[in-house]
Amino acid sequence: MCGIIGYLGPKDVVPLLIEGLKRMEYRGYDSAGVAVYDGKTLNTRRTPGKIAKLEAALAAAPLAGHVGIGHTRWATHGPPTEKNAHPHRSADGTVAVVHNGIIENANALRSALQELGYVFTSDTDTEVIAHLIQELFDGSLEEALLAALSKIEGTYGLAVMCDKDPNKIVAARKGSPLLIGVGVGENFLASDPSAILAHTRQVVYLDDGDIAVIERDSYRVIDAHATPMSRKVDRILWDLAEIERGGFDHFMLKEIFEQPTSVENTMRGRLILDDGTAKLGGLNLSHDELLHIDNVIITACGTSWHSALIGEMMIEELCRIPVEVEYASEFRYKNPIVTDRTLCIVMSQSGETADTLAAMREAKRRGARTLGFVNVVGSTIAREDDGGVYLHAGPEIGVASTKAFTSQVVALALFTLKLARKHDLSVVRGREIAQAMHHLPDQIRTVLESAKAIETIAEEFKDATNFLYLGRGYSFPTALEGALKLKEISYIHAEGYPAAEMKHGPIALIDEEMPVVFVAPHDAVFEKVVSNIQEVRARHGRTIVITSRDEPNLKGLIDYEIRIPETLDMLMPILAAVPLQLLAYYIAVKRGANVDQPRNLAKSVTVE
Ligand code: F6R
């Protein structure tokens, strides 16, 4: 979603802000802007659309200076126009504000400020903050911000500059991530570490309620009462190369091809082959606590929700503990049955999804132990959970989740293995699962060898207007994920269904125009899926079938076959997801879609 960058130091600020904004493009945005202090006054440039347009505006009317803030906006209040783009200025032009989040009492504040004579020029909630700070300014920008925050309700990651107190950026965080990048003779502010990684690895993650006062040679963090807060300096562990395309046409393709490594990294040091179990250091649950879990709730959104469905099956099958999977957006407003023996697993690639975070807080409030399965280190969910499992998939830049999904399933398999061995899974069966997991990276390499063949299939189906994805058992969530991948990046309508459920409605859609993707590895329900494939063929549907064996039963039923290696049923989604990702990718590319930044989508959805 929206991105924030700020800089104070010796470098020319404009190229630095632009570079930082470009590094956050993957998060999704529809307008961009910068504010720069040129030594005398504060000036802004803002444009709707992509950052290239902002660069053009800056080329036509350059800005220069050594202190500045920049923003990419994903529209919530008001369309993506120049007047709604950030930074927003106060009426007298002295204050510039960039803001992620939503000010809930913006209407009331707007009316109060209008009564004082302030004229509003945008449709946004953010503009009230700029006017409010102008109104409350009395020589110190941080004091004006503190006073303004006491009147604001809502969520924010905020950065503010003022040309009456010019050599500082003040920032505040409540519900929207922000970090300080600590340099030598220079300091940074960002909502995403990728924005500043080219300049420093030393970061201070702000907590909710923190206010930061950042100057060129120093920074301090205070709370709402101006009490100094001590915050530790963390080190970003990933490399710049991981957030660059490295010869691939798109981040999504790079990330699909990274999966042998990302899956290996999720398992590294955790899979214990001899004992048939897993070591997960961050759970913060004792042996007894693990044994006394009565039920598990897994809450998530989107792709993470699909991995949760796979986790549900694994945990119920191997640990015999009841599991419920809840859309985070629904869970947070329900009256769920949660006890202090409920374990709530919170699945989130970004660790910042607003609904998932709220669901976790609700589960916690009701007494559940929470475990975050998160990719982004230092993210809010990772910081607020009781314990967790980092995915270690490396930064995922493509908006459509690929490697994070397979790592989520692997992390859930590790957790299941550990929990099941604490219950009554035998060492023999534990070893069988651990061995099968150990082979996954090589098996994914084998699947990736089909990329060219899948590209040919994509050529055949690129003009389809609808797709059905069907699977049973562990392959049902995989089918859902395949359909989501296709629709979000190619804009082709696609539905995932349990294969047998097709007969209860969707079968009416099947004719010679309808491609149907079957996820049909040779697992416990394979024979059943063959009957469903026959039903589609009987109605002249076109079949693309992901299989794991040469099967006489399938002869004559398949238009296109994609072969994956055999593994345990519970691990099949990890292998079957890869060709589905490739199919969606190639179809989208052939339709000319912007694969890495699909329209209307954001990498982390930080609004409700
Ligand atoms: C789809 C996708 C989204 C996310 C969802 C939750 O490719 O990436 O559906 O899975 O927005 O995001 P996280 O996992 O960051 O909580």
Side-chain angles (χ1 to χ4, degrees):
M1 282 200 137
C2 310
I4 289 177
I5 169 121
Y7 176 76
L8 311 98
K11 294 174 188 144
D12 188 3
V13 72
V14 171
L16 197 141
L17 296 179
I18 294 291
E19 180 213 333
L21 292 178
K22 284 185 176 168
R23 298 243 184 235
M24 292 188 287
E25 278 194 297
Y26 76 99
R27 301 180 65 87
Y29 70 103
D30 38 38
S31 61
V34 293
V36 172
Y37 177 65
D38 65 8
K40 289 198 194 85
T41 56
L42 208 49
N43 293 291
T44 52
R45 299 284 180 271
R46 306 179 296 171
T47 48
K50 293 295 174 195
I51 291 167
K53 278 182 83 176
L54 179 62
E55 286 183 285
L58 282 159
L63 292 178
H66 301 281
V67 187
I69 51 180
H71 191 261
T72 44
R73 169 178 187 255
W74 189 82
T76 54
H77 289 58
T81 54
E82 181 178 341
K83 71 170 186 173
N84 288 334
H86 299 212
H88 287 283
R89 305 278 291 274
S90 57
D92 65 359
T94 58
V95 178
V97 176
V98 295
H99 166 223
N100 296 348
I102 290 177
I103 305 302
E104 281 157 13
N105 60 341
N107 286 343
L109 291 172
R110 180 184 270 253
S111 307
L113 286 159
Q114 278 166 335
E115 270 176 33
L116 293 173
Y118 286 87
V119 175
F120 281 74
T121 57
S122 79
D123 310 317
T124 68
D125 51 339
T126 303
E127 194 183 345
V128 297
I129 307 172
H131 298 314
L132 203 53
I133 291 176
Q134 176 193 325
E135 177 66 20
L136 298 167
F137 186 85
D138 191 16
S140 153
L141 183 55
E142 56 270 36
E143 280 173 22
L145 177 64
L146 286 179
L149 293 180
S150 71
K151 299 183 189 303
I152 286 172
E153 287 161 22
T155 55
Y156 44 79
L158 270 179
V160 188
M161 293 171 66
C162 174
D163 63 15
K164 292 191 196 150
D165 191 4
N167 292 312
K168 65 173 68 148
I169 296 171
V170 294
R173 174 196 163 138
K174 186 176 160 211
S176 196
L178 272 184
L179 54 92
I180 301 169
V182 185
V184 179
E186 60 182 357
N187 283 315
F188 304 79
L189 176 76
S191 55
D192 181 326
S194 59
I196 57 166
L197 184 59
H199 305 281
T200 181
R201 289 175 170 278
Q202 307 292 108
V203 296
V204 174
Y205 292 103
L206 296 184
D207 279 342
D208 269 356
D210 283 354
I211 289 109
V213 184
I214 308 164
E215 296 181 54
R216 187 172 162 153
D217 293 305
S218 66
Y219 65 87
R220 60 203 162 88
V221 180
I222 54 176
D223 71 4
H225 309 290
T227 312
M229 307 299 288
S230 131
R231 295 280 173 259
K232 72 175 192 323
V233 179
D234 276 301
R235 196 174 155 73
I236 306 172
L237 291 176
W238 27 278
D239 289 327
L240 211 50
E242 292 184 69
I243 55 168
E244 289 177 345
R245 279 211 312 269
F248 284 88
D249 287 346
H250 297 95
F251 280 109
M252 182 177 174
L253 190 62
K254 174 176 176 248
E255 287 157 7
I256 292 172
F257 272 85
E258 273 170 0
Q259 288 176 108
T261 312
S262 52
V263 157
E264 193 151 27
N265 286 342
T266 308
M267 294 191 287
R268 191 180 304 284
R270 291 168 161 177
L271 198 58
I272 322 265
L273 295 174
D274 284 350
D275 290 340
T277 187
K279 195 167 77 186
L280 293 169
L283 297 184
N284 298 334
L285 286 167
S286 68
H287 176 78
D288 263 14
E289 284 169 328
L290 275 172
L291 277 182
H292 291 103
I293 296 167
D294 281 349
N295 66 316
V296 177
I297 292 171
I298 316 182
T299 189
C301 304
T303 286
S304 298
W305 186 80
H306 298 152
S307 72
L309 292 176
I310 298 163
E312 173 185 21
M313 279 185 247
M314 288 181 190
I315 296 171
E316 290 197 338
E317 183 185 336
L318 296 176
C319 312
R320 309 301 298 149
I321 298 174
V323 183
E324 273 173 282
V325 175
E326 297 271 10
Y327 282 116
S329 53
E330 294 296 319
F331 179 79
R332 59 182 294 194
Y333 292 116
K334 280 171 70 171
N335 191 10
I337 298 167
V338 173
T339 72
D340 57 0
R341 284 164 70 147
T342 300
L343 179 70
C344 179
I345 296 180
V346 184
M347 301 295 307
S348 176
Q349 185 282 130
S350 63
E352 300 294 351
T353 303
D355 284 321
T356 312
L357 180 60
M360 179 177 83
R361 288 177 178 157
E362 181 60 18
K364 236 181 172 183
R365 204 180 58 74
R366 288 168 181 263
R369 290 293 289 258
T370 55
L371 288 184
F373 280 50
V374 166
N375 196 35
V376 178
V377 175
S379 56
T380 310
I381 289 175
R383 274 135 46 83
E384 289 192 19
D385 58 16
D386 296 318
V389 181
Y390 274 126
L391 305 181
H392 297 313
E396 190 178 67
I397 306 293
V399 163
S401 190
T402 52
K403 63 177 181 172
F405 172 76
T406 44
S407 284
Q408 284 174 336
V409 181
V410 169
L412 283 162
L414 289 168
F415 176 74
T416 305
L417 192 55
K418 181 179 170 90
L419 192 59
R421 290 282 287 121
K422 297 239 173 255
H423 284 76
D424 59 2
L425 191 78
S426 71
V427 66
V428 176
R429 180 92 174 99
R431 277 186 193 147
E432 190 195 342
I433 295 170
Q435 274 299 342
M437 292 181 71
H438 181 64
H439 292 308
L440 286 170
D442 277 341
Q443 291 184 310
I444 297 173
R445 276 183 199 102
T446 307
V447 179
L448 290 168
E449 286 167 13
S450 314
K452 274 271 157 281
I454 296 171
E455 191 174 358
T456 312
I457 301 175
E459 181 62 37
E460 177 72 22
F461 290 99
K462 68 178 195 307
D463 298 320
T465 49
N466 289 290
F467 261 84
L468 262 185
Y469 284 70
L470 303 176
R472 298 180 82 142
Y474 281 104
S475 297
F476 162 52
T478 317
L480 291 179
E481 175 58 7
L484 178 63
K485 281 297 84 98
L486 184 72
K487 74 182 126 190
E488 69 184 336
I489 59 169
S490 72
Y491 318 136
I492 296 174
H493 175 247
E495 293 282 352
Y497 259 89
E501 193 59 26
M502 174 190 65
K503 288 193 288 296
H504 302 284
I507 199 164
L509 297 170
I510 293 179
D511 60 16
E512 52 287 339
E513 298 296 315
M514 176 64 102
V516 184
V517 180
F518 278 95
V519 187
H522 200 97
D523 59 11
V525 288
F526 174 75
E527 303 297 338
K528 303 281 170 204
V529 184
V530 173
S531 318
N532 304 133
I533 302 175
Q534 272 159 345
E535 288 155 10
V536 169
R537 285 302 283 197
R539 286 153 188 89
H540 311 292
R542 301 161 81 197
T543 55
I544 303 162
V545 183
I546 296 174
T547 63
S548 58
R549 245 190 229 181
D550 206 11
E551 263 298 334
N553 281 345
L554 289 173
K555 289 273 169 318
L557 296 182
I558 299 182
D559 290 317
Y560 293 93
E561 180 182 343
I562 303 170
R563 189 68 70 81
I564 58 173
E566 302 238 291
T567 183
L568 300 177
D569 292 8
M570 63 180 268
L571 303 177
M572 271 298 182
I574 299 159
L575 302 183
V578 177
L580 296 177
Q581 296 164 351
L582 286 167
L583 183 66
Y585 170 79
Y586 286 121
I587 290 178
V589 169
K590 286 174 190 299
R591 290 167 70 95
N594 184 347
V595 173
D596 282 335
Q597 292 161 38
R599 70 182 179 209
N600 305 338
L601 290 179
K603 185 65 186 162
S604 65
V605 182
T606 50
V607 292
E608 193 179 327

